[in-house]
Amino acid sequence: MNVKKQIFKGTLYAVVAGCMWGISGIFGQLFFRDYHGSPLWITSTRLTIAGIILLVMSYSRDHKRFFDVWKSKKNMPTLFLYVFGGVFSVQYFYYVAIQLSNSATATILQYTAPVFIMLYLFIFQRQVPKPKSVLFVILAMIGVFLLITNGNIKHLSISPLALVSGLLAGVAVVIYSIIPRPLLDKYGALNMTGWGMMLAGIACNIFYPVWRINFRIEPLSIFYVLTISIVGTALAFLLLLRAFQLISPLVVSVATATEPLTSVFLSIPLFGLKLTLLEMVGIVMVIVSVILLSKSEQA
C-alpha cells in the first residue's frame, strides 16, 4: 500500500473510531441518568455483545485460522494483558469516570493517554523524548489541572475517584495500543478484537452478569445499550486496532482528538453543560498539546 494512502486510511479509521467513542460516552451518560444503570453491567453487556459479533464475523471470514492464537502458549501473557489490562480496564474505568463526573470530563482525562505512551516508550524502550515533547506534556497536564480544578487547587470540580478512574482509563489505552501489536499483525485485527472483547466480557460477567438487570427494559434503554455495544465498542475498537496496524500509536492519538471534541460538543445541548473560561482553556490545552506532541514525535 502507498505510504500516503496508508497514513490517510489509518488516520480516517482513528478519526471515525474517536467519534464513535465520543457518542458511546454520551449514550452511557444518558443511560446512567435515565436508568441509573451500573458501570459494571454496561461493561459486561457491551463487551459480551461486541465479542459475539466480532467473533462471528471472524469465523465467517476465515474459520480455519479462528483458534490460531490459542495454539501457542507464548501468546498467552500478551493476550491476557491485552484483555484485562487493556480492553476490560479502559471500558470499566471510563464508565466509572462518566458515572462519577460526566462524559466530557471522563473523555478528556482518558485523552491524556499519549502522555503515558511517551512515558512507556521512554521507560521500556529507552526512547528519550525531545525537549519539545516534554514541554507539550507539561502543557497537557496544566490543561487537565484547569479542567478538574477550575484553576483553584483547593477545590476539585470532580471527585478524586473520578480523576483516578479517568487517568486509569488513559493508562489502559496505552496497554491495548502497544501490547497486542505483534498478535494483531499475525492473527488480524478482527480475530484479536473479537477474542479480546469476549474474554473481557466473560471475566466481567463473573462479577456482574448481564442477567442482573436493575433498570426498566424499554425501547429507549435497549437502544442506548445496543448503540454503546455495537457502535461504541465493536465497530470503534475494530477500526482503532486496524488504525494501529497502519500508523503509529502517537499518530492515532492525534486522530482520536475527535473523541473529546464529540463528547464536549454533544454534552452542551444534551446535558446543558456549561464550561467556565478556564475549563475551556484546559480542554483546548489538552487537545492542542497532544496534537503538537504527536507531531513532534513524528518529526
Side-chain angles (χ1 to χ4, degrees), residues 183-282:
L183 299 183
L184 289 173
D185 294 338
K186 189 172 183 180
Y187 303 107
L190 181 60
N191 186 262
M192 285 306 304
T193 309
W195 283 119
M197 295 286 175
M198 180 56 71
L199 290 172
I202 291 171
C204 201
N205 270 274
I206 294 173
F207 299 100
Y208 206 109
V210 295
W211 55 84
R212 191 190 298 175
I213 298 173
N214 59 355
F215 61 90
R216 299 188 313 277
I217 298 178
E218 56 188 35
L220 185 58
S221 63
I222 294 172
F223 175 67
Y224 286 159
V225 171
L226 290 180
T227 301
I228 292 168
S229 302
I230 298 172
V231 177
T233 309
L235 294 180
F237 266 79
L238 182 60
L239 288 175
L240 198 71
L241 288 180
R242 182 66 181 126
F244 282 124
Q245 288 183 296
L246 298 173
I247 54 181
S248 74
L250 283 173
V251 175
V252 172
S253 70
V254 175
T256 51
T258 52
E259 181 187 353
L261 291 174
T262 301
S263 183
V264 170
F265 290 144
L266 289 179
S267 292
I268 294 172
L270 288 175
F271 305 115
L273 178 66
K274 295 181 180 179
L275 300 173
T276 67
L277 178 59
L278 284 177
E279 287 172 334
M280 288 189 288
V281 170

Side-chain angles (χ1 to χ4, degrees), residues 81-281:
L81 179 58
Y82 159 62
V83 170
F84 298 108
V87 177
F88 170 80
S89 294
V90 74
Q91 303 290 326
Y92 176 66
F93 288 118
Y94 178 55
Y95 276 98
V96 168
I98 289 176
Q99 189 180 49
L100 296 175
S101 56
N102 57 67
S103 177
T105 300
T107 305
I108 289 292
L109 290 172
Q110 180 182 285
Y111 193 57
T112 59
V115 173
F116 297 119
I117 290 176
M118 191 179 70
L119 290 174
Y120 173 88
L121 295 175
F122 173 67
I123 295 170
F124 295 102
Q125 298 186 11
R126 296 294 186 266
Q127 293 185 18
V128 180
K130 302 171 185 177
K132 286 193 299 184
S133 298
V134 176
L135 174 62
F136 298 144
V137 169
I138 294 173
L139 291 176
M141 292 299 97
I142 293 174
V144 172
F145 170 79
L146 291 176
L147 176 67
I148 64 177
T149 66
N150 197 22
N152 184 357
I153 197 170
K154 296 180 179 180
H155 172 69
L156 283 174
S157 59
I158 61 173
S159 70
L161 187 56
L163 171 61
V164 172
S165 298
L167 292 177
L168 284 175
V171 173
V173 171
V174 181
I175 294 174
Y176 80 66
S177 301
I178 296 175
I179 298 301
R181 292 195 75 170
L183 299 183
L184 289 173
D185 294 338
K186 189 172 183 180
Y187 303 107
L190 181 60
N191 186 262
M192 285 306 304
T193 309
W195 283 119
M197 295 286 175
M198 180 56 71
L199 290 172
I202 291 171
C204 201
N205 270 274
I206 294 173
F207 299 100
Y208 206 109
V210 295
W211 55 84
R212 191 190 298 175
I213 298 173
N214 59 355
F215 61 90
R216 299 188 313 277
I217 298 178
E218 56 188 35
L220 185 58
S221 63
I222 294 172
F223 175 67
Y224 286 159
V225 171
L226 290 180
T227 301
I228 292 168
S229 302
I230 298 172
V231 177
T233 309
L235 294 180
F237 266 79
L238 182 60
L239 288 175
L240 198 71
L241 288 180
R242 182 66 181 126
F244 282 124
Q245 288 183 296
L246 298 173
I247 54 181
S248 74
L250 283 173
V251 175
V252 172
S253 70
V254 175
T256 51
T258 52
E259 181 187 353
L261 291 174
T262 301
S263 183
V264 170
F265 290 144
L266 289 179
S267 292
I268 294 172
L270 288 175
F271 305 115
L273 178 66
K274 295 181 180 179
L275 300 173
T276 67
L277 178 59
L278 284 177
E279 287 172 334
M280 288 189 288
V281 170

Side-chain angles (χ1 to χ4, degrees), residues 7-48:
I7 294 174
F8 173 79
K9 198 172 182 179
T11 303
L12 180 62
Y13 286 155
V15 165
V16 176
C19 291
M20 288 178 172
W21 267 1
I23 293 170
S24 175
I26 291 295
F27 274 71
Q29 188 171 346
L30 288 169
F31 178 72
F32 293 141
R33 184 194 69 182
D34 298 342
Y35 296 98
H36 308 288
S38 163
L40 266 176
W41 184 88
I42 195 65
T43 303
S44 297
T45 304
R46 71 186 300 205
L47 288 173
T48 303

